[in-house]
Structure formats: structure tokens, C-alpha cells
Amino acid sequence: MINDSELIINADGSIYHLNLKPEDIADTVIFVGDPDRVAEVSKYFDNIEVRKGKREFITHTGFLGDKRLTVISTGIGTDNIDIVLNELDALVNIDFETKTLKEEIKSLDIIRIGTSGSIQGNIAIGTVLASEYAIGFDTLMQYYKKPYTETETAIQAAVIESFEDLTFKPYVGHASEKLLAKFAFDMPKGVTMTAPGFYGPQGRSLRTNNSYPQLIKHANQFAVGQRKITNLEMETAGIYALSNMLGHHAISINAILASRVQETFCENPQEIIDNAIKMVLDRI
């Protein structure tokens, strides 16, 4: 039995942060960072049966045709991903009455639709790119024991060797092969770098002296075999690593809004984001 302090249930029977009950979520879940983007996804649904929210976590569940879908805003960063993924897993795999694991463990399909900046000059603004692997430059996974594949171990070792000044150990996660085949069969694919912040952790400096001033340069030059770091954002590695550990299928679809190599930002971000949303919904 799981202790009350470990799995916190609200008075109405919903889970602590997400404010959701098990019946509120579908088996296919779309992640967006921005709470305002939830409605930008669900406006394409044929109907919406659940609208709930608490803090930055807004959830809509409804139907697109005969497919039941949930879209939820995670907010920014892998600290929020830690909350969202653990609570979603609890919603489908823990009996809230007995606070024990269900006999049959369920795997969710999780599709992140997010924004990102490219690190390679050949990835143009406006590209919709799928993350095949993701490298976490945050510390989330130092608190978990995740089994590593041979490829993940090779990528991790190459990162540690290439980014020799790092004072922490990056981690690696991978996309679901099933979801890559379904959603990204014709998309460019790459290795995504996940940072724990937007400014210094992504190599930006306004009025600061950064510990890793060559971060983008090193990321641009990094390679392990034929794989290169293609883009930079703030959630994908946490989604992949926790999904790998918990047995869920996950894919991150990145709308490229900036080029960190050419130091430019797009003029039409909403159009690019909407294009990514419609592309994902068309393939569901």
C-alpha cells in the first residue's frame, strides 16, 4: 500500500496537482507547455467532455472522430514533467481506493507538441522535427534509476567526453519506435538537448557571466556516429526518460521557432505551432 504522503488525493478524489480523476484522461495524451495552447489543440476536437485546471496544469479531454484524446499543459521545465508524468501514471496504474498497484499496468501514448530552437544550420525555422533521442542537461534523473540501452549509454558517454567542463552527469532517453513510425515517418529526426532554463542554461547572456559560454558551439559540434544535437528545449529528455522507466510510449514533436546558429527568431510563431498541431492531429 502506498502511503498518503506519497500519493496525495484531494477531497474530491482527484490527484494532487493535476486535479484529475482516473476517468478524466484518455489513453492518448498530448502535452503542450503553455496553458493557453491547450485550447489551441482542443478547438479541433469534435467535442470536449472534461475541462479542468489547477495552477499551470490545464486539461481538456474529448473526442476527435471516435478517438478519445487528452491535452494537458505541463508548464515549463522537467520539474513540472516530473509531476505530470508521475501523476498521469498514478491515474492509470494505481487504484485510488486501495492505494495499491493495479494488476494490469497500462501504457499511455504521450505526444509532446512544443517549441524549440535549432542548433544546426541546416534545420530551418519553420521545420517540424521529431526527437529520436533526448539528452537531459538538468538533474531530474539523478533521483531515479533508469535502465539504459546500448545507444543511450554511447550517447551519454560521448556527451560527457565532448562537454568536458560539465559539473553534472547528463542523462539520455529515447522516443517510442511505435510513435516515431506513426507520427514522424516523413519528418526530420534528431537528438534534442533539454536544458533546465531559458537563459544561462541555453547559452543566453543578457547581463550575466555564464559558466558555459561555449555551450551552443559545443552542442553544434557534438556528434556520436551519425547523430548530432539538432535542437534545444526544456522538457523532452524528462518526458522520454520517465516514460522509458515507467513503460509509456512518448514522442516529442518540435516546432522550430529559432536558429541559435544564425541567431534569428521566426516572424510567425503561431502559424508554425498550429501547423505542428494539425500535423499531429491528422495522424492520430
Side-chain angles (χ1 to χ4, degrees):
M1 181 174 175
I2 299 169
N3 293 331
D4 291 346
S5 62
E6 305 296 301
L7 176 62
I8 303 170
I9 306 297
N10 298 320
D12 66 353
S14 63
I15 200 161
Y16 187 53
H17 294 94
L18 299 186
N19 199 35
L20 297 173
K21 298 178 182 179
E23 62 267 24
D24 291 334
I25 64 168
D27 293 345
T28 299
V29 183
I30 297 171
F31 282 1
V32 294
D34 185 351
D36 290 339
R37 200 173 298 149
V38 172
E40 293 173 10
V41 176
S42 67
K43 70 182 181 183
Y44 294 109
F45 291 3
D46 295 303
N47 63 73
I48 301 171
E49 59 183 20
V50 176
R51 298 177 190 263
K52 290 189 175 182
K54 186 177 180 184
R55 304 185 186 187
E56 60 266 64
F57 308 117
I58 306 299
T59 301
H60 290 178
T61 295
F63 282 85
L64 182 64
D66 59 359
K67 180 74 171 180
R68 191 169 187 248
L69 302 172
T70 292
V71 54
I72 183 168
S73 59
T74 63
I76 296 175
T78 57
D79 50 347
N80 278 3
I81 294 301
D82 181 61
I83 291 170
V84 174
L85 252 164
N86 274 287
E87 293 196 359
L88 282 177
D89 182 77
L91 284 164
V92 297
N93 289 320
I94 296 175
D95 185 316
F96 279 20
E97 294 295 325
T98 63
K99 289 199 170 181
T100 57
L101 289 179
K102 294 180 179 178
E103 290 186 8
E104 184 176 345
I105 299 301
K106 179 181 288 187
S107 293
L108 296 170
D109 286 349
I110 298 168
I111 306 116
R112 172 190 178 268
I113 306 173
T115 59
S116 185
S118 68
I119 290 178
Q120 300 298 329
N122 62 345
I123 300 174
I125 287 174
T127 299
V128 178
L129 178 144
S131 305
E132 185 179 16
Y133 287 87
I135 306 165
F137 279 69
D138 60 293
T139 59
L140 173 64
M141 293 308 293
Q142 73 176 358
Y143 298 96
Y144 296 102
K145 294 181 179 179
K146 171 191 176 295
Y148 267 46
T149 66
E150 184 177 339
T151 300
E152 288 173 340
T153 300
I155 293 173
Q156 183 186 51
V159 171
I160 292 169
E161 181 179 357
S162 179
F163 293 80
E164 56 189 26
D165 295 334
L166 294 180
T167 56
F168 56 90
K169 187 176 183 179
Y171 62 92
V172 182
H174 64 274
S176 160
E177 290 295 334
K178 178 186 80 169
L179 297 188
L180 281 171
K182 181 173 183 177
F183 291 98
F185 54 89
D186 59 350
M187 291 182 189
K189 302 171 187 66
V191 177
T192 295
M193 177 178 174
T194 295
F198 187 77
Y199 290 94
Q202 292 192 29
R204 293 183 173 92
S205 177
L206 304 182
R207 293 200 322 112
T208 57
N209 293 318
N210 293 354
S211 297
Y212 305 109
Q214 300 299 314
L215 184 70
I216 298 301
K217 180 180 178 181
H218 284 163
N220 172 265
Q221 295 174 349
F222 171 82
V224 52
Q226 298 298 312
R227 293 187 172 94
K228 295 183 177 182
I229 295 177
T230 50
N231 62 304
L232 174 64
E233 49 73 83
M234 295 178 62
E235 290 87 33
T236 297
I239 294 169
Y240 281 7
L242 288 176
S243 294
N244 297 162
M245 190 177 67
L246 292 169
H248 300 296
H249 294 274
I251 188 170
S252 179
I253 305 297
N254 303 270
I256 303 297
L257 302 187
S259 169
R260 298 303 305 280
V261 176
Q262 299 170 359
E263 300 182 339
T264 54
F265 190 81
C266 67
E267 297 179 354
N268 56 337
Q270 192 53 51
E271 181 181 331
I272 296 170
I273 295 166
D274 195 52
N275 179 42
I277 290 170
K278 288 189 287 188
M279 188 179 296
V280 167
L281 293 179
D282 285 346
R283 297 176 183 196
I284 280 179

